[in-house]
């Protein structure tokens, strides 16, 4: 949700900032802008639309300097037009600022500023920040720019990552965070600031993750980090970023989403690396090993997440209850945080998040912590806010995910949950050979995904046949019901076809009314204890002339007879089928979106890393 970046050093900031924005574009692409301290004034350009619009503007002007800030926007307050784009400047054009987050008390601040005569140019909440900083800075001549930013932020309620510059302190860049991520890249006589490490990785591997309530003041040779409450300088550790350029570029693939679907030939293996113990039929998850007794004896586990991660949570519930026999409740973070959930010291909250920055998930963790629950995180981004806020956790190690529609992060989340359930189960009554069976299927996953990727022709046929429909239904039972939900979400997100996931047997309680010869119905039909039931559900759809697209790991003549299309995954353990079948559903959504000419990596209205509530 909005990407911000900044640079101070000896190079021309413009290309560095633009490249950084491209890397952050997954966070929002409604508009973008840049401000550069160019000798004695701030030059800025901003434009509605994707970053290429800004690029075109920049190529027509000269905007040059060694200190600058930039922004890519996902609109919250105010429509995505030029004037609502960041950076925002004070009236005299001497201070510029970019912001990621939401200022909750902006209306009250705005009223006060208007009463003082300030004229606003935009409908954004952000603009109050720059006028407030300006009012404080120019009212009290003794304050440094950093002090003015600190004082202004003390009046603000909400979430922010900001980077600001001031013409009157041309050697200085100031940034701060509260609830929105901010990473400081430390180079040789230069510094980089960004919402995540991807804009920084090409220049330096040394970063400092700023924490909530911290403010940093930079010159090209120094960084001083303190807090919003105290000017005392903090000593923060330098972290080496574990990220390569290859991982954040799409290489020969036309889209990040396709690259990330293909990455699953190794990303799932990376998730499991060093964690499988075939000998004992169990798994080792170092980040939570000290909490195993608490997990086994928990009165209840809440799994909380948003979007795709919430679907992974539903699969996790099924697995944890099956293997470890602990009651699990799966809740949308945005709902959980506002209701009176039953939380005591025997309650454990597991938060799942690819980005580790989703505002609602973070808030749910904070609430559970306050009420005395142990909190654990399953995150992909190392060092992210959720990873740091929780008491312990497990990284998914899927590698950077840039396509807005989550793919490899999801299969890695499910893999982590499978390993967690097995580890807990083995501590109670699950037999060693059961664990070994599951582990041997998990170990085949890289080959299984390779096999699925070889058979894209059939998936393309289904895509071609169904690309013009208006609705799609996905059906699954038990552990595969959430897979149906996730398949439907993928299709909605990137091809804008309305899609619904249902438990297969629930269909006859309503959705069956929708079935006719134009309705594709994807059915997840693995060879498990519900196979005969799912066959019956398929018959019900067939009788109403629905287009049946079956995904299975089993050759079965009746299934073949009933299906209009049948897509096979290699035979696997019933608890691994959700992972392999998800790869097919991702590809199906992808191929349909390609045929419909959709913006696959940047679907309309969406963004990754939702740092607003
Ligand atoms: C957004 C993304 C989804 C993602 C969800 C949760 O909606 O578009 O792909 O599943 O946020 O994000 P998280 O980073 O917490 O997993």
């Amino acid at each position: 949700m909005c990407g911000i970046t900044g640079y101070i050093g000896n190079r021309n900031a413009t290309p560095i900032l633009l490249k950084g924005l491209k890397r952050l574009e997954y966070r929002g692409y409604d508009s973008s802008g840049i401000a550069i301290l160019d000798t004695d004034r701030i030059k800025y350009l901003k434009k509605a639309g994707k970053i290429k619009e800004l690029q075109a503007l920049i190529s027509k002007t000269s905007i040059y300097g060694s200190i600058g800030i930039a922004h890519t926007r996902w609109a919250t307050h105010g429509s995505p037009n030029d004037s609502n784009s960041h950076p925002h400047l004070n009236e005299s054009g001497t201070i510029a600022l970019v912001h990621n987050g939401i200022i909750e008390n902006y209306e009250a601040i705005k009223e006060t500023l208007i009463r003082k005569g300030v004229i606003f140019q935009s409908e954004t909440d952000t603009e109050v920040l720059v006028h407030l900083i300006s009012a404080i800075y120019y009212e009290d001549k003794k304050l440094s720019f950093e002090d003015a930013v600190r004082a202004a932020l003390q009046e603000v309620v909400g979430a922010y990552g900001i980077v600001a510059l001031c013409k009157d302190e041309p050697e200085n860049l100031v940034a701060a965070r509260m609830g929105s991520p901010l990473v400081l890249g430390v180079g040789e006589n230069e510094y980089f600031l960004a919402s995540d490490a991807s804009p920084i990785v090409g220049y330096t591997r040394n970063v400092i993750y700023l924490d909530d309530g911290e403010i940093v003041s930079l010159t090209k040779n120094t960084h001083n980090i303190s807090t919003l409450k105290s000017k005392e300088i903090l000593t923060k550790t330098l972290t080496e970023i574990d990220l390569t350029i290859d991982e954040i570029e799409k290489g020969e693939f036309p889209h990040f989403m396709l690259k990330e679907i293909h990455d699953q030939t190794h990303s799932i293996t990376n998730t499991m690396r060093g964690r499988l113990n075939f000998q004992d039929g169990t798994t080792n998850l170092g980040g939570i090993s000290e909490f195993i007794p608490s997990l086994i004896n928990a009165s209840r586990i809440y799994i909380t997440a948003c979007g795709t991660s919430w679907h992974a949570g539903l699969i996790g519930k099924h697995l944890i209850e099956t293997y470890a026999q602990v009651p699990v409740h799966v809740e949308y973070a945005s709902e959980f945080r506002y209701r009176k959930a039953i939380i005591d010291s025997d309650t454990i909250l597991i938060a799942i998040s690819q980005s580790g920055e989703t505002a609602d998930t973070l808030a749910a963790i904070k609430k559970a912590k306050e009420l005395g629950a142990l909190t654990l995180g399953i995150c992909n981004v190392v060092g992210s806010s959720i990873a740091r806020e929780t008491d312990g956790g497990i990284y998914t190690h899927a590698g950077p995910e840039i396509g807005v529609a989550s793919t490899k992060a999801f299969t890695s989340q499910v893999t982590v949950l499978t390993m967690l359930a097995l580890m807990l189960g083995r501590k109670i009554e699950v037999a060693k050979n059961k664990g070994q069976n599951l582990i041997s299927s998990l170990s085949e996953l890289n080959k299984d995904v390779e096999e699925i990727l070889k058979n894209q022709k059939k998936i393309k046929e289904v895509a071609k046949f169904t690309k013009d429909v208006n609705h799609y239904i996905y059906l699954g039972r038990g552990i595969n019901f959430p897979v149906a939900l996730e398949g439907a979400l993928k299709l909605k997100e990137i091809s804008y076809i309305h899609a619904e996931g249902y438990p297969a047997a629930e269909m006859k309680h309503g959705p069956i009314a929708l079935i006719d010869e134009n309705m594709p119905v994807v059915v997840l039909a693995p060879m498990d204890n519900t196979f005969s039931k799912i066959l019956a559900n398929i018959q019900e759809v067939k009788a109403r002339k629905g287009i049946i697209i079956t995904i299975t790991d089993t050759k079965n003549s009746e299934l073949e007879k009933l299906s209009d299309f049948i897509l096979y995954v290699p035979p696997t353990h019933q608890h691994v089928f959700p992972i392999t079948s998800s790869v097919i559903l991702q590809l199906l959504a992808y191929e349909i979106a390609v045929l419909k000419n959709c913006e696959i990596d940047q679907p309309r209205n969406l963004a990754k890393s939702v740092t607003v509530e």
Side-chain angles (χ1 to χ4, degrees):
M1 285 283 121
C2 298
I4 57 173
T5 183
Y7 175 78
I8 182 165
N10 294 314
R11 310 189 216 197
N12 179 11
T14 309
I16 296 174
L17 295 172
L18 262 182
K19 204 165 167 191
L21 283 190
K22 287 297 285 174
R23 298 243 165 94
L24 295 173
E25 202 168 14
Y26 72 87
R27 303 177 69 90
Y29 29 85
D30 287 332
S31 68
S32 58
I34 186 168
I36 300 279
L37 205 53
D38 188 356
T39 49
D40 60 345
R41 68 192 186 100
I42 296 173
K43 276 193 174 173
Y44 69 98
L45 289 168
K46 46 193 200 171
K47 188 82 193 131
K50 300 219 165 136
I51 290 164
K52 59 178 191 254
E53 308 292 338
L54 177 69
Q55 252 165 337
L57 258 191
I58 289 176
S59 66
K60 288 189 216 131
T61 68
S62 80
I63 180 161
Y64 183 92
S66 55
I67 304 181
I69 58 178
H71 186 273
T72 182
R73 178 168 188 244
W74 186 84
T76 56
H77 296 62
S79 57
N81 57 27
D82 291 354
S83 49
N84 287 334
S85 309
H86 300 218
H88 291 283
L89 280 83
N90 62 340
E91 288 178 292
S92 54
T94 55
I95 296 175
L97 171 142
V98 289
H99 167 226
N100 166 32
I102 287 186
I103 307 304
E104 288 168 19
N105 59 340
Y106 82 100
E107 273 169 351
I109 300 175
K110 193 169 177 174
E111 255 172 50
T112 316
L113 289 165
I114 288 173
R115 259 186 266 126
K116 285 186 181 171
V118 175
I119 297 171
F120 279 76
Q121 304 294 331
S122 77
E123 306 151 294
T124 65
D125 54 328
T126 302
E127 199 185 344
V128 301
L129 272 181
V130 73
H131 294 306
L132 186 60
I133 294 169
S134 176
I136 295 172
Y137 184 60
Y138 290 109
E139 246 163 48
D140 184 345
K141 289 275 186 262
K142 277 185 249 115
L143 284 185
S144 66
F145 183 52
E146 178 195 351
D147 288 339
V149 173
R150 179 183 281 107
L153 291 178
Q154 273 162 12
E155 292 185 30
V156 157
V157 179
Y160 50 82
I162 61 158
V163 192
L165 50 81
C166 175
K167 181 195 84 87
D168 297 335
E169 296 193 20
E171 307 288 312
N172 202 3
L173 198 59
V174 174
R177 82 160 261 183
M178 179 69 80
S180 300
L182 201 52
V183 187
L184 173 68
V186 182
E188 287 257 330
N189 300 322
E190 59 182 353
Y191 288 96
F192 306 82
L193 283 155
S195 301
D196 73 25
S198 63
I200 299 171
V201 67
Y203 306 100
T204 174
R205 307 206 71 79
N206 296 324
V207 298
I208 294 171
Y209 292 99
L210 294 182
D211 283 306
D212 276 352
E214 289 180 351
I215 180 164
V216 58
S217 174
L218 301 169
T219 68
K220 64 183 178 187
N221 307 310
T222 58
H223 66 270
N224 285 328
I225 302 175
S226 55
T227 64
L228 294 172
K229 292 203 181 111
S230 153
K231 288 165 78 168
E232 198 180 317
I233 303 296
L234 303 173
T235 314
K236 302 265 297 180
T237 36
L238 223 55
T239 308
E240 200 171 317
I241 19 179
D242 177 22
L243 194 70
T244 63
I245 295 276
D246 282 354
E247 283 179 301
I248 51 174
E249 292 193 338
K250 53 180 189 259
E252 82 249 28
F253 290 95
H255 301 104
F256 276 108
M257 184 181 180
L258 188 63
K259 175 183 185 251
E260 287 155 8
I261 292 173
H262 280 253
D263 278 353
Q264 292 170 114
T265 53
H266 56 267
S267 57
I268 304 172
T269 311
N270 288 345
T271 304
M272 297 185 290
R273 179 152 299 124
R275 289 167 164 176
L276 301 182
N277 175 349
F278 182 79
Q279 192 77 19
D280 297 334
T282 189
T283 61
N284 313 311
L285 298 167
I288 55 142
S289 52
E290 63 179 292
F291 305 114
I292 294 172
S294 313
L295 280 158
I296 290 170
N297 298 311
S299 55
R300 68 190 71 81
I301 294 174
Y302 284 109
I303 294 183
T304 194
C306 304
T308 288
S309 300
W310 183 76
H311 294 153
L314 291 173
I315 298 175
K317 168 188 166 73
H318 191 100
L319 292 163
I320 294 170
E321 290 189 342
T322 303
Y323 285 86
Q325 304 276 292
V326 182
V328 180
H329 309 271
V330 186
E331 306 227 5
Y332 285 119
S334 54
E335 292 294 320
F336 177 79
R337 58 180 292 202
Y338 293 114
R339 80 176 187 88
K340 208 166 177 310
I342 302 163
I343 297 175
D344 56 25
S345 54
D346 291 330
T347 303
I348 297 180
L349 180 104
I350 302 179
I352 307 176
S353 174
Q354 187 286 127
S355 61
E357 301 294 346
T358 301
D360 281 317
T361 311
L362 201 49
I365 294 167
K366 288 182 180 156
K367 170 181 166 167
K369 261 179 129 172
E370 271 165 30
L371 294 171
L374 172 72
T375 60
L376 303 174
I378 297 178
C379 294
N380 194 36
V381 178
V382 176
S384 55
S385 301
I386 291 176
R388 286 182 292 153
E389 186 69 34
T390 41
D391 299 304
I394 311 164
Y395 281 121
T396 46
H397 296 308
E401 190 181 69
I402 293 162
V404 166
S406 183
T407 52
K408 64 175 179 174
F410 173 72
T411 48
S412 286
Q413 288 166 344
V414 176
T415 305
V416 162
L417 289 159
T418 312
M419 291 190 291
L420 173 64
L422 176 60
M423 184 179 79
L424 299 179
R426 284 287 292 127
K427 294 283 175 201
I428 52 168
E429 59 193 24
V430 173
K432 183 160 100 177
N433 67 330
K434 274 198 164 179
Q436 287 172 326
N437 278 346
L438 181 58
I439 287 177
S440 57
S441 287
L442 287 171
S443 319
E444 295 291 310
L445 269 168
N446 55 344
K447 281 198 238 128
D448 292 349
V449 176
E450 269 171 31
E451 209 50 47
I452 291 165
L453 293 174
K454 276 189 214 149
N455 288 322
Q456 280 186 55
K457 203 169 140 237
K458 199 68 189 270
I459 299 172
K460 283 185 180 163
E461 273 173 37
V462 182
K464 212 167 152 197
F465 192 77
T466 57
K467 72 177 172 52
D468 295 320
V469 302
N470 293 320
H471 311 277
Y472 236 96
I473 287 182
Y474 289 71
L475 301 177
R477 297 185 76 118
I479 195 170
N480 294 304
F481 163 51
V483 179
L485 291 177
E486 175 58 13
L489 179 65
K490 286 289 87 75
L491 190 70
K492 278 185 272 207
E493 281 180 310
I494 61 165
S495 74
Y496 317 136
I497 293 177
H498 169 239
E500 301 271 1
Y502 284 101
E506 245 331 274
M507 203 196 38
K508 53 184 158 304
H509 299 292
I512 200 160
L514 300 169
I515 308 280
D516 63 15
E517 65 280 12
N518 298 314
M519 178 69 87
V521 181
V522 176
V523 189
L524 294 147
M527 182 46 77
D528 63 13
N529 59 343
T530 62
F531 186 74
S532 59
K533 306 283 174 213
I534 209 114
L535 270 181
N537 299 140
I538 294 176
Q539 297 272 15
E540 291 154 12
V541 177
K542 189 77 186 168
R544 275 108 191 144
K545 300 194 172 58
I547 306 161
I548 305 208
I549 303 154
T550 306
I551 301 177
T552 185
D553 58 351
T554 304
K555 290 256 178 216
N556 176 282
S557 55
E558 201 175 343
L559 208 52
E560 283 187 357
K561 213 162 55 203
L562 288 170
S563 306
D564 294 279
F565 296 93
I566 188 152
L567 302 168
Y568 287 101
V569 297
T572 190
H573 192 288
Q574 58 169 309
H575 294 148
V576 177
F577 182 81
I579 298 177
T580 51
S581 54
S582 291
V583 178
I584 299 235
L585 297 182
Q586 294 163 357
L587 280 168
L588 178 60
Y590 175 80
E591 295 297 349
I592 293 175
V594 168
L595 291 173
K596 294 189 72 170
N597 244 334
C598 295
E599 284 269 20
I600 291 176
D601 286 332
Q602 291 163 357
R604 71 178 177 217
N605 306 339
L606 293 180
K608 221 172 170 67
S609 202
V610 182
T611 52
V612 296
E613 299 170 9

